[in-house]
Amino acid sequence: MKPAAFEYLAVESVEQALEALGAAGGEAKIVAGGQSLVPMLNFRLLQPSLLVDVNRIPGLDFIEVEAERVRVGALTRHWRQEASPELRRHLPVLSAAMAEVAHLAIRNRGTLGGSLSHADPAAELPMIALLLEAEIVTAAPAGGRRVAARDFFLGALTTDLAEDELVVEVAFRRPAAGSGWAFEELARRSGDFALAAVAVTLRLEGGRIAEPRIALMGVDETALRAEAAEALLEGEAPGEALLAAAAEAVRARVQPNTDLHASADYRRHLAGVLTRRTLQTALARAAGEAA
Amino acid sequence: MTGKRLVRMTVNGSPVEEAVEPRLLLSDFLRQMLGLTGTHVGCEQGVCGACTVRLDGRTARACLTFAVQAEGSEIVTVEGLGTAEALSPLQEAFREHHALQCGFCTPGMLMTALDLLETRPGATDAELREGLSGNLCRCTGYEHIVAAVRAAAERLAREGKREGPP
């Protein structure tokens, strides 16, 4: 339960981080909040030769609200995403999801860039990045990239990031004014990884559903969007039968695993139930019936 | 450098300076190098909460932080609250309400409760339970811990005081 020996470098700029990562030739790990990485080091599941600590890089902890997008710095901690008045106003679904991440002490340290780079299939931020069609902005020796969230998560704990690439910013798309939203997850105990979670945004236009977005986590190799269910809802008038059909489309889409916490069947069932509930809440909010 | 390096920080108001290996966890640094054994080590994977300390004003798991990362930081451990002779208001409330039995989880509970008292002074019982849910206790059933934190919050509000050494 003690990590193997490693070298440690606290960098003070993105350039310095990239240089260290490049020189280590794939043997280095980046540490930000460390709330997922350090347990893996303690268990010796990972034994990097070098830990590149990015916590002291200035200018990566910010929230900027723009017309189309909200840009959030990679070092923004979960507690700030949960508490920020700007995010609560412009991306309430993100703030609501952040309140469900692990526990107080973990949220005090964990970071946006760290969670996306770690890509746990049962973590809230990858799901919210997919829901809000985030662009993940990276820095790399050959120049940075903007990667769409849908191209970023390749599998459990696997992303499109190169070994010498660092997430520096995430640009979430702002749902249109008047959008309704909802987030619900079910975990056996407060703060545990969720068995399943669903997040939704949508609008109502003349009584019909517009721009429905449904994202899930904990029910597949990565967080995912339920495109077929979204297509079913687009342009339709809400009703019980429609929501039931959307829930059925979600159940057909997901491929959960069985583990000691829950069976695959139960997780699939939950995905359907939570889809129906979140759609109801989002519709009520879009209709101005709920806060 | 897997060799030792110098790290400086402030612990419970006193400056400290030690040579440490980069892989030394902050929890082991506090216990083994500084002799501050109030910070307990349970799971070493961030789950049990026994090692919770304050790092630059916010609670953190000492087992998920390396001592080298705390360079220049302000650390407060349970030893920074009260003493056996002069308990802090929160510690006093834990004693009055029987909020501890074996005592293993208590330092982490106190440090988390400190955060709750400061950041959510008017918290409801449900909010206190959610806030404390990251700290495991196998003895008390939690009821007395929630009661103690609530009582401490009420006393501090009544007396217009902050949690800390009396």
Side-chain angles (χ1 to χ4, degrees):
Chain A
M1 293 303 292
K2 307 291 179 193
F6 52 77
E7 295 184 35
Y8 172 82
L9 183 66
V11 295
E12 282 172 12
S13 69
V14 169
E15 295 70 32
Q16 218 185 337
L18 298 181
E19 199 177 306
L21 291 170
E27 293 296 310
K29 286 299 285 184
I30 301 163
V31 62
Q35 303 301 288
S36 299
L37 178 67
V38 182
M40 295 173 89
L41 296 174
N42 286 358
F43 279 122
R44 301 199 178 192
L45 294 171
L46 290 173
Q47 298 193 16
S49 64
L50 172 69
L51 219 50
V52 179
D53 187 339
V54 296
N55 283 289
R56 289 168 202 269
I57 300 179
L60 293 185
D61 176 6
F62 63 84
I63 295 166
E64 295 282 345
V65 180
E66 297 180 349
E68 302 282 317
R69 292 190 173 263
V70 180
R71 298 168 44 227
V72 184
L75 278 180
T76 309
R77 314 236 172 225
H78 299 332
W79 71 266
R80 189 158 174 231
Q81 298 170 60
E82 179 187 349
S84 150
E86 293 107 314
L87 290 185
R88 291 173 86 101
R89 177 155 168 233
H90 298 290
L91 301 179
V93 70
L94 169 62
S95 296
M98 285 303 92
E100 300 297 322
V101 176
H103 304 288
L104 197 60
I106 308 291
R107 298 200 289 275
N108 283 345
R109 299 292 297 162
T111 67
L112 172 58
S115 177
L116 295 184
S117 304
H118 181 61
D120 192 299
E124 285 79 359
L125 278 165
M127 172 180 68
I128 296 296
L130 285 167
L131 180 79
L132 299 177
E133 296 171 350
E135 287 177 2
I136 295 157
V137 184
T138 73
R145 301 189 288 161
R146 300 180 76 87
V147 190
R150 67 173 175 276
D151 299 324
F152 187 78
F153 304 105
L154 304 182
L157 310 185
T158 310
T159 69
D160 188 45
L161 283 173
E163 280 164 350
D164 56 355
E165 193 172 15
L166 177 70
V167 174
V168 291
E169 175 185 318
V170 181
F172 296 98
R173 190 181 56 78
R174 284 177 62 182
S179 291
W181 62 275
F183 168 84
E184 272 202 52
E185 72 172 48
L186 197 120
R188 288 224 179 260
R189 296 170 303 189
S190 162
D192 278 9
F193 277 110
L195 301 178
V198 182
V200 167
T201 63
L202 50 73
R203 283 188 303 122
L204 279 173
E205 240 177 45
R208 290 178 180 275
I209 297 171
E211 294 183 287
R213 309 266 187 269
I214 305 172
L216 294 99
M217 73 182 204
V219 287
D220 217 313
E221 283 300 295
T222 66
L224 56 88
R225 281 276 292 271
E227 300 88 354
E230 293 173 2
L232 239 154
L233 296 167
E234 180 78 55
E236 298 293 326
E240 268 310 307
L242 184 69
L243 299 198
E248 182 51 43
V250 164
R251 279 195 294 270
R253 167 75 167 87
V254 300
Q255 292 188 297
N257 287 323
T258 291
D259 63 20
L260 81 165
H261 301 295
S263 67
D265 281 349
Y266 182 58
R267 284 194 160 95
R268 181 176 287 109
H269 167 76
L270 272 181
V273 171
L274 296 178
T275 297
R276 207 184 62 239
R277 280 191 204 157
T278 46
L279 284 170
Q280 282 167 338
T281 306
L283 283 164
R285 282 185 169 128
E289 293 162 12
Chain B
M1 280 140 287
T2 52
K4 292 191 175 179
R5 49 197 297 156
L6 210 57
V7 61
R8 284 149 302 205
M9 66 187 88
T10 305
V11 179
N12 299 330
S14 304
V16 300
E17 183 174 318
E18 297 284 348
V20 301
E21 267 190 276
R23 66 170 168 161
L24 185 70
L25 296 168
L26 180 61
S27 43
D28 290 331
F29 174 77
L30 294 168
R31 290 176 57 84
Q32 294 165 16
M33 302 203 73
L34 304 186
L36 295 171
T37 53
T39 298
H40 289 172
V41 170
C43 69
E44 293 194 313
Q45 50 179 298
V47 173
C48 78
C51 70
T52 305
V53 298
R54 170 165 290 202
L55 170 63
D56 289 333
R58 303 194 78 93
T59 53
R61 301 288 204 232
C63 77
L64 298 187
T65 309
F66 295 108
V68 283
Q69 293 188 283
E71 167 70 29
S73 294
E74 294 258 354
I75 307 284
V76 181
T77 69
V78 70
E79 289 92 344
L81 298 182
T83 62
E85 294 72 36
L87 298 177
S88 74
L90 181 60
Q91 290 170 319
E92 190 67 51
F94 264 59
R95 184 169 71 179
E96 273 173 31
H97 290 269
H98 307 286
L100 62 151
Q101 289 178 32
C102 85
F104 191 86
C105 73
T106 310
M109 285 287 179
L110 291 168
M111 297 313 288
T112 301
L114 169 68
D115 192 315
L116 293 173
L117 292 176
E118 290 184 355
T119 60
R120 302 169 202 199
T124 62
D125 274 12
E127 288 164 338
L128 288 180
R129 284 172 191 279
E130 199 284 320
L132 292 166
S133 66
N135 291 68
L136 300 182
C137 172
R138 303 289 75 166
C139 306
T140 63
Y142 301 100
E143 295 293 333
H144 298 293
I145 297 174
V146 174
V149 179
R150 186 178 53 230
E154 286 166 2
R155 178 181 159 193
L156 292 167
R158 199 167 54 240
E159 297 178 2
K161 285 187 184 156
R162 286 165 58 101
E163 166 60 14

